[in-house]
Amino acid sequence: MFNFRNEREMIPHPILLEAKQSAANQILITYDQRTDLGSATHISNYWIRSTMETPSGIATVGMSDALMSSNSIRPDMAQITPVDNSNMRFHITFRVNAVPGVLYTVLPCFVNLEGMTGYMGANWGPTSRNVFIGM
């Protein structure tokens, strides 16, 4: 399990502004600042929590699961690509569809600001709109 508290307070980092489903198998995510493209497009820096007891479909963690490297999104599950040249908007495209009616939460970690490295914490905060209902 990761300890995010100290990292959040020390190193400037982008915060996820919004995550919304843009297709049955795709999520559009938007950060508040320009990101380091390498860390932002590293799919294993992302987790999808669902309200299901056991994660399935696009979800990698259930409600009571801790975020660990072993339950992040794997490259065989999805890919993440920039939407434009802003380094702030990305599509996560999954090999399977989201389950309709299930509540999902997008949880990015370790995404650095453009030109920086070394951030090892969470990239969401209290104002992040990172929850959506599968359609």
mmCIF file with all atom_site columns, all heavy atoms in Angstrom, residues 72-86:
data_model
loop_
_atom_site.group_PDB
_atom_site.id
_atom_site.type_symbol
_atom_site.label_atom_id
_atom_site.label_alt_id
_atom_site.label_comp_id
_atom_site.label_asym_id
_atom_site.label_entity_id
_atom_site.label_seq_id
_atom_site.pdbx_PDB_ins_code
_atom_site.Cartn_x
_atom_site.Cartn_y
_atom_site.Cartn_z
_atom_site.occupancy
_atom_site.B_iso_or_equiv
_atom_site.pdbx_formal_charge
_atom_site.auth_seq_id
_atom_site.auth_comp_id
_atom_site.auth_asym_id
_atom_site.auth_atom_id
_atom_site.pdbx_PDB_model_num
ATOM 1   N N   . SER A 1 72 ? -2.846 -2.188 -10.389 1.00 0.00 ? 72 SER A N   1
ATOM 2   C CA  . SER A 1 72 ? -3.014 -1.032 -11.275 1.00 0.00 ? 72 SER A CA  1
ATOM 3   C C   . SER A 1 72 ? -3.487 -1.529 -12.640 1.00 0.00 ? 72 SER A C   1
ATOM 4   O O   . SER A 1 72 ? -3.530 -2.738 -12.896 1.00 0.00 ? 72 SER A O   1
ATOM 5   C CB  . SER A 1 72 ? -1.699 -0.263 -11.413 1.00 0.00 ? 72 SER A CB  1
ATOM 6   O OG  . SER A 1 72 ? -0.746 -1.042 -12.096 1.00 0.00 ? 72 SER A OG  1
ATOM 7   N N   . ILE A 1 73 ? -3.840 -0.603 -13.530 1.00 0.00 ? 73 ILE A N   1
ATOM 8   C CA  . ILE A 1 73 ? -4.223 -1.001 -14.884 1.00 0.00 ? 73 ILE A CA  1
ATOM 9   C C   . ILE A 1 73 ? -2.975 -1.524 -15.593 1.00 0.00 ? 73 ILE A C   1
ATOM 10  O O   . ILE A 1 73 ? -1.933 -0.882 -15.587 1.00 0.00 ? 73 ILE A O   1
ATOM 11  C CB  . ILE A 1 73 ? -4.822 0.192  -15.667 1.00 0.00 ? 73 ILE A CB  1
ATOM 12  C CG1 . ILE A 1 73 ? -6.053 0.748  -14.950 1.00 0.00 ? 73 ILE A CG1 1
ATOM 13  C CG2 . ILE A 1 73 ? -5.178 -0.243 -17.094 1.00 0.00 ? 73 ILE A CG2 1
ATOM 14  C CD1 . ILE A 1 73 ? -6.606 2.016  -15.588 1.00 0.00 ? 73 ILE A CD1 1
ATOM 15  N N   . ARG A 1 74 ? -3.102 -2.674 -16.197 1.00 0.00 ? 74 ARG A N   1
ATOM 16  C CA  . ARG A 1 74 ? -1.983 -3.290 -16.911 1.00 0.00 ? 74 ARG A CA  1
ATOM 17  C C   . ARG A 1 74 ? -2.050 -2.942 -18.402 1.00 0.00 ? 74 ARG A C   1
ATOM 18  O O   . ARG A 1 74 ? -3.126 -2.702 -18.944 1.00 0.00 ? 74 ARG A O   1
ATOM 19  C CB  . ARG A 1 74 ? -2.014 -4.805 -16.736 1.00 0.00 ? 74 ARG A CB  1
ATOM 20  C CG  . ARG A 1 74 ? -1.836 -5.268 -15.308 1.00 0.00 ? 74 ARG A CG  1
ATOM 21  C CD  . ARG A 1 74 ? -1.845 -6.793 -15.205 1.00 0.00 ? 74 ARG A CD  1
ATOM 22  N NE  . ARG A 1 74 ? -2.830 -7.444 -16.056 1.00 0.00 ? 74 ARG A NE  1
ATOM 23  C CZ  . ARG A 1 74 ? -4.094 -7.722 -15.702 1.00 0.00 ? 74 ARG A CZ  1
ATOM 24  N NH1 . ARG A 1 74 ? -4.531 -7.387 -14.510 1.00 0.00 ? 74 ARG A NH1 1
ATOM 25  N NH2 . ARG A 1 74 ? -4.916 -8.329 -16.548 1.00 0.00 ? 74 ARG A NH2 1
ATOM 26  N N   . PRO A 1 75 ? -0.906 -2.952 -19.087 1.00 0.00 ? 75 PRO A N   1
ATOM 27  C CA  . PRO A 1 75 ? -0.890 -2.653 -20.528 1.00 0.00 ? 75 PRO A CA  1
ATOM 28  C C   . PRO A 1 75 ? -1.763 -3.585 -21.362 1.00 0.00 ? 75 PRO A C   1
ATOM 29  O O   . PRO A 1 75 ? -2.228 -3.191 -22.426 1.00 0.00 ? 75 PRO A O   1
ATOM 30  C CB  . PRO A 1 75 ? 0.588  -2.796 -20.910 1.00 0.00 ? 75 PRO A CB  1
ATOM 31  C CG  . PRO A 1 75 ? 1.328  -2.548 -19.644 1.00 0.00 ? 75 PRO A CG  1
ATOM 32  C CD  . PRO A 1 75 ? 0.453  -3.095 -18.545 1.00 0.00 ? 75 PRO A CD  1
ATOM 33  N N   . ASP A 1 76 ? -2.011 -4.807 -20.897 1.00 0.00 ? 76 ASP A N   1
ATOM 34  C CA  . ASP A 1 76 ? -2.878 -5.710 -21.654 1.00 0.00 ? 76 ASP A CA  1
ATOM 35  C C   . ASP A 1 76 ? -4.364 -5.398 -21.441 1.00 0.00 ? 76 ASP A C   1
ATOM 36  O O   . ASP A 1 76 ? -5.209 -5.954 -22.124 1.00 0.00 ? 76 ASP A O   1
ATOM 37  C CB  . ASP A 1 76 ? -2.585 -7.176 -21.323 1.00 0.00 ? 76 ASP A CB  1
ATOM 38  C CG  . ASP A 1 76 ? -2.883 -7.534 -19.874 1.00 0.00 ? 76 ASP A CG  1
ATOM 39  O OD1 . ASP A 1 76 ? -2.624 -6.695 -18.986 1.00 0.00 ? 76 ASP A OD1 1
ATOM 40  O OD2 . ASP A 1 76 ? -3.365 -8.650 -19.623 1.00 0.00 ? 76 ASP A OD2 1
ATOM 41  N N   . MET A 1 77 ? -4.672 -4.499 -20.499 1.00 0.00 ? 77 MET A N   1
ATOM 42  C CA  . MET A 1 77 ? -6.057 -4.116 -20.213 1.00 0.00 ? 77 MET A CA  1
ATOM 43  C C   . MET A 1 77 ? -6.479 -2.844 -20.951 1.00 0.00 ? 77 MET A C   1
ATOM 44  O O   . MET A 1 77 ? -7.635 -2.698 -21.331 1.00 0.00 ? 77 MET A O   1
ATOM 45  C CB  . MET A 1 77 ? -6.247 -3.856 -18.712 1.00 0.00 ? 77 MET A CB  1
ATOM 46  C CG  . MET A 1 77 ? -6.056 -5.060 -17.834 1.00 0.00 ? 77 MET A CG  1
ATOM 47  S SD  . MET A 1 77 ? -6.090 -4.607 -16.076 1.00 0.00 ? 77 MET A SD  1
ATOM 48  C CE  . MET A 1 77 ? -7.766 -4.021 -15.897 1.00 0.00 ? 77 MET A CE  1
ATOM 49  N N   . ALA A 1 78 ? -5.528 -1.908 -21.107 1.00 0.00 ? 78 ALA A N   1
ATOM 50  C CA  . ALA A 1 78 ? -5.880 -0.590 -21.651 1.00 0.00 ? 78 ALA A CA  1
ATOM 51  C C   . ALA A 1 78 ? -4.629 0.143  -22.095 1.00 0.00 ? 78 ALA A C   1
ATOM 52  O O   . ALA A 1 78 ? -3.507 -0.258 -21.783 1.00 0.00 ? 78 ALA A O   1
ATOM 53  C CB  . ALA A 1 78 ? -6.603 0.226  -20.586 1.00 0.00 ? 78 ALA A CB  1
ATOM 54  N N   . GLN A 1 79 ? -4.854 1.246  -22.794 1.00 0.00 ? 79 GLN A N   1
ATOM 55  C CA  . GLN A 1 79 ? -3.767 2.159  -23.147 1.00 0.00 ? 79 GLN A CA  1
ATOM 56  C C   . GLN A 1 79 ? -4.250 3.578  -22.886 1.00 0.00 ? 79 GLN A C   1
ATOM 57  O O   . GLN A 1 79 ? -5.439 3.848  -22.859 1.00 0.00 ? 79 GLN A O   1
ATOM 58  C CB  . GLN A 1 79 ? -3.350 1.987  -24.598 1.00 0.00 ? 79 GLN A CB  1
ATOM 59  C CG  . GLN A 1 79 ? -4.411 2.366  -25.604 1.00 0.00 ? 79 GLN A CG  1
ATOM 60  C CD  . GLN A 1 79 ? -3.892 2.241  -27.034 1.00 0.00 ? 79 GLN A CD  1
ATOM 61  O OE1 . GLN A 1 79 ? -2.752 1.877  -27.277 1.00 0.00 ? 79 GLN A OE1 1
ATOM 62  N NE2 . GLN A 1 79 ? -4.746 2.557  -27.984 1.00 0.00 ? 79 GLN A NE2 1
ATOM 63  N N   . ILE A 1 80 ? -3.290 4.477  -22.682 1.00 0.00 ? 80 ILE A N   1
ATOM 64  C CA  . ILE A 1 80 ? -3.628 5.884  -22.473 1.00 0.00 ? 80 ILE A CA  1
ATOM 65  C C   . ILE A 1 80 ? -2.875 6.716  -23.494 1.00 0.00 ? 80 ILE A C   1
ATOM 66  O O   . ILE A 1 80 ? -1.670 6.515  -23.710 1.00 0.00 ? 80 ILE A O   1
ATOM 67  C CB  . ILE A 1 80 ? -3.347 6.330  -21.023 1.00 0.00 ? 80 ILE A CB  1
ATOM 68  C CG1 . ILE A 1 80 ? -3.766 7.779  -20.819 1.00 0.00 ? 80 ILE A CG1 1
ATOM 69  C CG2 . ILE A 1 80 ? -1.918 6.077  -20.621 1.00 0.00 ? 80 ILE A CG2 1
ATOM 70  C CD1 . ILE A 1 80 ? -3.839 8.209  -19.370 1.00 0.00 ? 80 ILE A CD1 1
ATOM 71  N N   . THR A 1 81 ? -3.604 7.633  -24.135 1.00 0.00 ? 81 THR A N   1
ATOM 72  C CA  . THR A 1 81 ? -3.020 8.456  -25.184 1.00 0.00 ? 81 THR A CA  1
ATOM 73  C C   . THR A 1 81 ? -3.448 9.907  -25.012 1.00 0.00 ? 81 THR A C   1
ATOM 74  O O   . THR A 1 81 ? -4.555 10.185 -24.541 1.00 0.00 ? 81 THR A O   1
ATOM 75  C CB  . THR A 1 81 ? -3.454 7.972  -26.583 1.00 0.00 ? 81 THR A CB  1
ATOM 76  O OG1 . THR A 1 81 ? -4.883 7.912  -26.623 1.00 0.00 ? 81 THR A OG1 1
ATOM 77  C CG2 . THR A 1 81 ? -2.885 6.597  -26.890 1.00 0.00 ? 81 THR A CG2 1
ATOM 78  N N   . PRO A 1 82 ? -2.592 10.846 -25.405 1.00 0.00 ? 82 PRO A N   1
ATOM 79  C CA  . PRO A 1 82 ? -2.977 12.262 -25.347 1.00 0.00 ? 82 PRO A CA  1
ATOM 80  C C   . PRO A 1 82 ? -4.119 12.542 -26.322 1.00 0.00 ? 82 PRO A C   1
ATOM 81  O O   . PRO A 1 82 ? -4.175 11.972 -27.414 1.00 0.00 ? 82 PRO A O   1
ATOM 82  C CB  . PRO A 1 82 ? -1.718 13.007 -25.781 1.00 0.00 ? 82 PRO A CB  1
ATOM 83  C CG  . PRO A 1 82 ? -0.608 12.015 -25.725 1.00 0.00 ? 82 PRO A CG  1
ATOM 84  C CD  . PRO A 1 82 ? -1.221 10.665 -25.883 1.00 0.00 ? 82 PRO A CD  1
ATOM 85  N N   . VAL A 1 83 ? -5.014 13.436 -25.939 1.00 0.00 ? 83 VAL A N   1
ATOM 86  C CA  . VAL A 1 83 ? -6.118 13.853 -26.808 1.00 0.00 ? 83 VAL A CA  1
ATOM 87  C C   . VAL A 1 83 ? -5.646 14.959 -27.748 1.00 0.00 ? 83 VAL A C   1
ATOM 88  O O   . VAL A 1 83 ? -6.063 15.046 -28.887 1.00 0.00 ? 83 VAL A O   1
ATOM 89  C CB  . VAL A 1 83 ? -7.324 14.332 -25.969 1.00 0.00 ? 83 VAL A CB  1
ATOM 90  C CG1 . VAL A 1 83 ? -8.399 14.959 -26.833 1.00 0.00 ? 83 VAL A CG1 1
ATOM 91  C CG2 . VAL A 1 83 ? -7.900 13.170 -25.169 1.00 0.00 ? 83 VAL A CG2 1
ATOM 92  N N   . ASP A 1 84 ? -4.758 15.806 -27.247 1.00 0.00 ? 84 ASP A N   1
ATOM 93  C CA  . ASP A 1 84 ? -4.268 16.962 -28.009 1.00 0.00 ? 84 ASP A CA  1
ATOM 94  C C   . ASP A 1 84 ? -2.835 17.247 -27.552 1.00 0.00 ? 84 ASP A C   1
ATOM 95  O O   . ASP A 1 84 ? -2.228 16.412 -26.894 1.00 0.00 ? 84 ASP A O   1
ATOM 96  C CB  . ASP A 1 84 ? -5.197 18.170 -27.815 1.00 0.00 ? 84 ASP A CB  1
ATOM 97  C CG  . ASP A 1 84 ? -5.471 18.467 -26.345 1.00 0.00 ? 84 ASP A CG  1
ATOM 98  O OD1 . ASP A 1 84 ? -4.589 18.201 -25.483 1.00 0.00 ? 84 ASP A OD1 1
ATOM 99  O OD2 . ASP A 1 84 ? -6.573 18.965 -26.031 1.00 0.00 ? 84 ASP A OD2 1
ATOM 100 N N   . ASN A 1 85 ? -2.324 18.412 -27.865 1.00 0.00 ? 85 ASN A N   1
ATOM 101 C CA  . ASN A 1 85 ? -0.958 18.769 -27.464 1.00 0.00 ? 85 ASN A CA  1
ATOM 102 C C   . ASN A 1 85 ? -0.884 19.523 -26.147 1.00 0.00 ? 85 ASN A C   1
ATOM 103 O O   . ASN A 1 85 ? 0.154  20.084 -25.810 1.00 0.00 ? 85 ASN A O   1
ATOM 104 C CB  . ASN A 1 85 ? -0.292 19.596 -28.571 1.00 0.00 ? 85 ASN A CB  1
ATOM 105 C CG  . ASN A 1 85 ? -0.041 18.771 -29.807 1.00 0.00 ? 85 ASN A CG  1
ATOM 106 O OD1 . ASN A 1 85 ? 0.311  17.596 -29.716 1.00 0.00 ? 85 ASN A OD1 1
ATOM 107 N ND2 . ASN A 1 85 ? -0.240 19.361 -30.971 1.00 0.00 ? 85 ASN A ND2 1
ATOM 108 N N   . SER A 1 86 ? -1.978 19.529 -25.382 1.00 0.00 ? 86 SER A N   1
ATOM 109 C CA  . SER A 1 86 ? -2.008 20.275 -24.128 1.00 0.00 ? 86 SER A CA  1
ATOM 110 C C   . SER A 1 86 ? -1.253 19.581 -22.999 1.00 0.00 ? 86 SER A C   1
ATOM 111 O O   . SER A 1 86 ? -0.907 20.223 -22.007 1.00 0.00 ? 86 SER A O   1
ATOM 112 C CB  . SER A 1 86 ? -3.456 20.489 -23.680 1.00 0.00 ? 86 SER A CB  1
ATOM 113 O OG  . SER A 1 86 ? -4.039 19.262 -23.252 1.00 0.00 ? 86 SER A OG  1
#
